[in-house]
């Protein structure tokens, strides 16, 4: 991910050589270049990013609504405000979501999320957090941060309430120092539809990795970025007000199909918070691949993670046609009649043999 960089050394030396007339021309040129949405080089090597407007959302939030013509759809208690989209208000038992209507067929991408979580609740009296999704199904309400359980795709969770820790405290048990997590906590999960998110344990059994992220009630902007390049999943955060990315999760060998949907959702229960999304910006990343990488990075049809065994999904049987159903019933009846006839014949023979032995 490329951070904002100030003028480089060559530009400083060049600027000192410019006259006032040339300087004004150069300023105009820079303004023209900076106002466009052309490719921008990021990181080392030949990697460029392109903003994809059909998968992005920012103020003034045009194209958001419930109709089929909108690029983004709201669900539940989600509301469009002037400065943000509120997924859930700071009230109990609320649920909201925001989903992109356009499936994403990009091979390598980066999603930048500008969000804010805040509320009246004091320490450990707030919840539950929000999730960012890249999944096969969209607009499916459920118990996992407002989305369906046993989803197919990727989920990134910003969890603000430690359910497992509170259960341990209620049972008067303590974590060992090696496994205790400090909340709010960010984790990631890849699912092929066979796994349930364990809410009581804060997703610990199925998480790919995670990090502590103190994101509540901050007076500066908070960001999260999800980068997927060459089967490599990287999640970074900027939550310290320093405009610097900090590593959170890095997992190689993640295989995500194309054609899934981006979305974000939130839910509150007995505890609550305001969960706001300020912007979602998706960038297409163009990276070079050698012939061997091209073979290894072919499209997949189910999400998976190398060296991590996910339970296999059993494909549902296709529904029977009318003719097939008729044939099954017909031959079942024929077989039943045949079995009854054979049974009667055998019974009569047995009776005859019994009478002969009697006489």
């Amino acid at each position: 991910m490329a951070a904002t960089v100030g003028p480089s050394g060559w530009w400083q030396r060049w600027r000192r050589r410019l006259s006032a007339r040339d300087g004004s021309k150069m300023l105009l040129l820079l303004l023209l270049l900076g106002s466009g949405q052309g490719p921008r080089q990021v990181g080392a090597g030949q990697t460029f990013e392109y903003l994809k407007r059909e998968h992005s959302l920012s103020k003034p939030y045009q194209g958001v609504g419930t109709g089929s013509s909108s690029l983004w759809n709201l669900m539940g208690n989600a509301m469009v405000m002037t400065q943000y989209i509120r997924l859930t208000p700071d009230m109990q038992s609320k649920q909201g979501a925001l989903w992109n209507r356009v499936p994403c067929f990009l091979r390598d991408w980066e999603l930048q999320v500008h969000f804010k979580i805040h509320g009246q609740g004091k320490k450990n009296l707030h919840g539950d957090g929000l999730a960012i999704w890249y999944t096969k199904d969209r607009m499916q309400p459920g118990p996992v941060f407002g989305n369906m359980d046993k989803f197919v795709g990727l989920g990134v969770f910003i969890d603000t309430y430690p359910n497992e820790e509170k259960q341990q405290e209620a049972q008067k048990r303590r974590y060992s120092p090696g496994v205790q997590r400090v909340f709010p906590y960010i984790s990631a999960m890849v699912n092929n539809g066979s796994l349930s998110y364990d809410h009581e344990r804060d997703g610990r059994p199925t998480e790919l990795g995670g990090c502590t992220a103190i994101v509540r009630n901050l007076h500066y902007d908070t960001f999260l970025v999800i980068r997927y390049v060459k089967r490599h999943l990287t999640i970074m955060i900027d939550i310290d007000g320093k405009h610097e990315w900090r590593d959170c999760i890095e997992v190689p060998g993640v295989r995500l199909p194309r054609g899934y949907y981006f979305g974000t959702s939130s839910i509150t229960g007995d505890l609550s918070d305001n969960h706001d999304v300020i912007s979602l910006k998706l960038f297409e990343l163009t990276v070079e691949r050698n012939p061997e990488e091209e073979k290894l990075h072919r499209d997949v049809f189910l999400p998976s993670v190398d060296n991590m065994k996910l339970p296999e999904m059993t494909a549902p049987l296709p529904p029977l046609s009318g003719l097939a159903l008729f044939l099954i019933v017909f031959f079942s009846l024929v077989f039943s009649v045949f079995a009854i006839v054979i049974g009667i014949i055998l019974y009569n023979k047995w009776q005859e043999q019994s009478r002969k032995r009697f006489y």
Side-chain angles (χ1 to χ4, degrees):
M1 172 62 200
T4 303
V5 181
S8 58
W10 67 266
W11 164 241
Q12 295 279 14
R13 293 191 298 270
W14 193 9
R15 185 175 60 179
R16 285 194 293 266
R17 297 174 187 173
L18 293 175
S19 63
R21 182 186 60 186
D22 294 334
S24 61
K25 291 181 178 178
M26 180 57 65
L27 179 60
L28 178 61
L29 177 61
L30 289 175
L31 289 174
L32 290 173
L33 291 175
S35 63
Q37 294 294 341
R40 182 173 61 182
Q41 188 169 6
V42 295
Q46 297 299 314
T47 303
F48 294 86
E49 64 178 22
Y50 302 80
L51 178 65
K52 307 302 289 184
R53 293 186 179 276
E54 67 272 24
H55 302 297
S56 299
L57 177 68
S58 59
K59 293 180 285 189
Y61 306 123
Q62 297 177 351
V64 180
T66 58
S68 59
S69 60
S70 303
L71 289 177
W72 293 85
N73 291 147
L74 298 175
M75 185 176 68
N77 301 112
M79 299 180 295
V80 179
M81 314 298 282
T82 56
Q83 299 298 319
Y84 51 81
I85 293 178
R86 177 152 292 171
L87 300 178
T88 57
D90 191 359
M91 300 173 63
Q92 295 179 341
S93 304
K94 299 298 180 180
Q95 180 173 320
L98 173 70
W99 283 95
N100 192 202
R101 285 190 63 251
V102 183
C104 177
F105 291 94
L106 302 181
R107 196 174 189 182
D108 305 285
W109 48 264
E110 179 179 283
L111 179 66
Q112 299 178 10
V113 184
H114 184 186
F115 67 96
K116 186 175 182 65
I117 301 176
H118 57 106
Q120 299 298 319
K122 303 301 181 183
K123 182 179 180 181
N124 292 334
L125 292 176
H126 48 78
D128 284 329
L130 63 86
I132 300 103
W133 303 98
Y134 175 70
T135 55
K136 180 180 179 181
D137 301 298
R138 59 186 293 273
M139 303 289 285
Q140 299 294 324
V144 186
F145 294 90
N147 191 38
M148 63 182 291
D149 196 10
K150 294 189 176 181
F151 59 91
V152 179
L154 169 69
V156 177
F157 312 117
I158 306 174
D159 195 348
T160 58
Y161 185 77
N163 292 283
E164 185 178 16
E165 180 180 341
K166 293 306 176 183
Q167 288 184 2
Q168 295 285 343
E169 289 179 358
Q171 299 171 7
K172 297 183 179 180
R173 296 167 57 186
R174 291 185 177 181
Y175 285 147
S176 63
V179 298
Q180 186 174 9
R181 297 183 292 182
V182 178
F183 281 72
Y185 187 83
I186 296 176
S187 63
M189 174 181 175
V190 169
N191 199 351
N192 62 3
S194 64
L195 299 175
S196 286
Y197 178 84
D198 191 342
H199 187 71
E200 299 301 320
R201 298 190 61 193
D202 304 306
R204 184 191 292 269
T206 53
E207 76 168 34
L208 297 177
C211 69
T212 296
I214 309 302
V215 295
R216 286 193 73 249
N217 289 341
L218 300 179
H219 300 293
Y220 43 81
D221 293 332
T222 49
F223 300 88
L224 178 144
V225 63
I226 306 171
R227 171 179 275 204
Y228 181 65
V229 179
K230 292 185 176 182
R231 307 284 194 224
H232 203 101
L233 177 67
T234 304
I235 298 175
M236 295 180 289
I237 53 178
D238 175 7
I239 60 172
D240 302 317
K242 299 179 180 179
H243 303 289
E244 295 177 355
W245 292 111
R246 175 158 58 90
D247 292 337
C248 178
I249 301 172
E250 188 170 0
V251 185
V254 176
R255 302 173 183 270
L256 298 176
R258 294 197 270 184
Y260 284 9
Y261 297 92
F262 287 105
T264 179
S265 65
S266 178
I267 193 171
T268 64
D270 293 334
L271 303 176
S272 62
D273 253 339
N274 295 307
H275 299 95
D276 301 337
V277 173
I278 292 93
S279 68
L280 295 164
K281 294 182 180 180
L282 185 75
F283 294 90
E284 178 182 10
L285 303 181
T286 59
V287 296
E288 293 182 346
R289 283 180 169 83
N290 57 42
E292 183 178 353
E293 289 175 329
E294 288 290 348
K295 293 180 180 179
L296 292 175
H297 299 166
R298 291 177 178 173
D299 287 348
V300 296
F301 300 99
L302 268 182
S304 64
V305 181
D306 293 350
N307 303 320
M308 179 180 176
K309 181 65 175 177
L310 296 178
E312 294 183 0
M313 288 289 294
T314 55
L317 295 175
L320 297 175
S321 64
L323 177 60
L325 185 61
F326 169 77
L327 292 176
I328 290 175
V329 173
F330 175 77
F331 284 109
S332 298
L333 290 175
V334 170
F335 177 79
S336 300
V337 171
F338 181 76
I340 292 173
V341 172
I342 295 297
I344 294 174
I345 293 175
L346 293 176
Y347 177 75
N348 291 334
K349 287 186 177 182
W350 176 79
Q351 280 189 328
E352 290 179 1
Q353 291 177 356
S354 297
R355 286 196 295 270
K356 288 179 180 180
R357 284 198 302 269
F358 181 76
Y359 292 107

